[in-house]
Amino acid sequence: MLKNRRSRLEPLFEELKLDAVLVTDLKNIRYLCGFSGSEGALLISSSAAWFLCDSRYTEQAASEVQGAEVRECVLRLEALQALAFENGLKRIGFEAAHTSVRAFRKISAALNEVELVELGPVFDDIRTCKDSLEIDLLAAVAKLASQSLTAILPLIQPGVRESEIALELEFEMRRRGADGRAFDFIVASGVRGAMPHGRASDKVIQSGELVTIDFGALKDAYHSDETVTVACGEPGVRAREIHAIVREAHDLAIQRVRPGIFCKDLDAVARDHIREHGYGDYFGHGLGHGVGLEIHEQPTLSPRSEAVLEEGMVVTIEPGIYIPGFGGVRIEDTLVVTAEGYRVLTSADKQLLIF
Ligand code: ZN
Ligand code: ZN
């Protein structure tokens, strides 16, 4: 499987006439060779690969790294220099977005015989379509997070702080085997619901308020992403109305997910529905995004996106309505694009549940 991932680099070698690629971003290292530690570098040529680490990681690398020779080194730049010389590597691509100016200067000085080629977001592109191993991990983490949320939702009662809900949710996820949370949870109640990214605060939840919870777990380096909006006590007419509109927009967009559809057209399905119901000014963000080793990945689902959905992409669908001074609603699921259409990975109930 990891070999297949590395083979996706072949067109890049040809196009840029590269002898090797130096990978320093840890997510990309994990993706390409399986190493899960917190320091190391991966050098991949068209015929071989080397993983460089210091003595703290040699044992871990020996058990995790696949398809690359593990080389323990004291000074990584010296090891790189030796590898470039021994293997006649003259043109090496590097990840510009993950290399500081300082690091670049040091690498240039050490590899003064080598031409360094700045790479764009090539690994982001390679990682956009997930393989079956990744889809299994994304499905497992999504299931764990959905079940955790369902277990703690009855804690939503008048008098409870948003931050307590966030804390209990994280406990529940960890109890069920998560490595941690995917991001700082959003728990936004009442008027705070008008903030799409209102992180859990000390605010006390009160009867009659809507509560938006945007949450995700992290397991085996993969993230989940899901949002529910529930009510604490009986919701008012307007709260019910906007929840129904957002849920319809969410359902309509999901029904259209299939390989070949433009992401901006999918965005328009949800956006048009919200606009037709008079709330067009209250949905300011894009419809969704890819999820994987990072919480926000390619593709972007927005009116400006030029991306087209392909089989294997894992994306969120998350329309919302946010009314300043009143509150808001967002509903989000994560799905995988299949040959026939889609499979929803997240499973918390999206009805307007009342607690
Ligand atoms: Zn989310
Ligand atoms: Zn999201």
Side-chain angles (χ1 to χ4, degrees):
M1 193 68 85
L2 300 189
K3 204 172 167 198
N4 286 344
R5 293 180 189 174
R6 285 196 295 274
S7 70
R8 294 186 186 179
L9 288 170
E10 278 164 19
L12 188 73
F13 277 97
E14 273 177 40
E15 192 187 323
L16 296 175
K17 300 193 171 24
L18 298 175
D19 297 321
V21 170
L22 175 64
V23 189
T24 47
D25 177 66
L26 289 166
K27 291 178 292 296
N28 292 332
I29 288 176
R30 182 160 188 158
Y31 179 76
L32 293 164
C33 79
F35 178 71
S36 70
S38 53
E39 216 177 308
L42 179 67
L43 184 68
I44 304 175
S45 77
S46 52
S47 57
W50 303 270
F51 179 74
L52 305 175
C53 63
D54 64 56
S55 60
R56 293 172 298 167
Y57 295 103
T58 310
E59 207 175 317
Q60 183 180 354
S63 68
E64 288 182 345
V65 170
Q66 295 174 39
E69 181 190 321
V70 176
R71 288 217 179 171
E72 183 184 307
C73 52
V74 179
L75 295 172
R76 196 190 298 164
L77 285 175
E78 277 183 11
L80 266 178
Q81 207 175 21
L83 280 173
F85 180 74
E86 287 163 24
N87 297 281
L89 308 174
K90 300 275 184 232
R91 261 175 80 82
I92 300 180
F94 72 99
E95 297 169 282
H98 301 290
T99 307
S100 67
V101 173
R102 190 185 156 98
F104 174 75
R105 287 195 180 128
K106 282 187 175 178
I107 299 170
S108 310
L111 303 181
N112 56 358
E113 304 280 290
V114 173
E115 196 179 343
L116 292 170
V117 180
E118 194 174 316
L119 300 179
V122 290
F123 297 105
D124 296 4
D125 295 344
I126 287 171
R127 283 176 16 209
T128 305
C129 288
K130 276 63 182 172
D131 57 39
S132 61
L133 198 67
E134 295 187 282
I135 290 168
D136 288 349
L137 291 171
L138 284 160
V141 70
K143 186 176 173 189
L144 184 158
S146 300
Q147 290 177 340
S148 302
L149 188 272
T150 304
I152 65 101
L153 270 185
L155 295 173
I156 293 188
Q157 294 297 327
V160 173
R161 289 182 195 281
E162 293 172 354
S163 52
E164 288 175 58
I165 300 297
L167 184 61
E168 292 297 337
L169 178 54
E170 188 174 348
F171 265 129
E172 191 62 33
M173 286 176 175
R174 286 191 170 256
R175 207 174 274 131
R176 289 169 186 258
D179 297 327
R181 59 177 193 260
F183 51 88
D184 285 342
F185 301 148
I186 289 161
V187 181
S189 60
V191 291
R192 292 192 76 249
M195 295 189 285
H197 276 188
R199 281 199 308 216
S201 75
D202 282 343
K203 181 186 170 298
V204 172
I205 298 170
Q206 304 194 357
S207 185
E209 289 183 335
L210 290 177
V211 185
T212 297
I213 307 176
D214 189 341
F215 63 101
L218 177 70
K219 186 165 170 57
D220 299 323
Y222 284 83
H223 298 75
S224 76
D225 195 7
E226 182 170 17
T227 306
V228 297
T229 300
V230 301
C232 175
E234 202 56 40
V237 176
R238 198 179 193 192
R240 282 186 184 277
E241 184 201 19
I242 61 172
H243 192 282
I245 295 166
V246 171
R247 189 161 172 230
E248 286 157 8
H250 160 272
D251 293 354
L252 287 169
I254 287 184
Q255 286 157 18
R256 296 284 299 277
V257 169
R258 58 171 174 77
I261 190 167
F262 275 91
C263 292
K264 63 182 170 196
D265 291 344
L266 207 52
D267 178 281
V269 171
R271 200 167 300 280
D272 290 350
H273 184 79
I274 290 171
R275 190 183 299 122
E276 281 159 18
H277 286 80
Y279 289 97
D281 292 340
Y282 302 104
F283 176 28
H285 59 73
L287 181 65
H289 54 87
V291 182
L293 288 166
E294 289 176 273
I295 186 66
H296 293 121
E297 297 197 347
Q298 296 300 329
T300 299
L301 283 64
S302 79
R304 293 162 301 281
S305 172
E306 289 303 320
V308 176
L309 286 187
E310 290 174 46
E311 186 180 350
M313 287 182 176
V314 173
V315 296
T316 68
I317 299 289
E318 50 181 305
I321 292 178
Y322 313 94
I323 306 171
F326 175 76
V329 171
R330 179 165 63 257
I331 299 175
E332 175 181 28
D333 274 308
T334 297
L335 5 82
V336 55
V337 182
T338 63
E340 304 77 35
Y342 64 88
R343 176 161 67 96
V344 183
L345 302 180
T346 39
S347 53
D349 197 340
K350 299 301 176 316
Q351 292 182 68
L352 179 51
L353 300 177
I354 301 171
F355 293 93

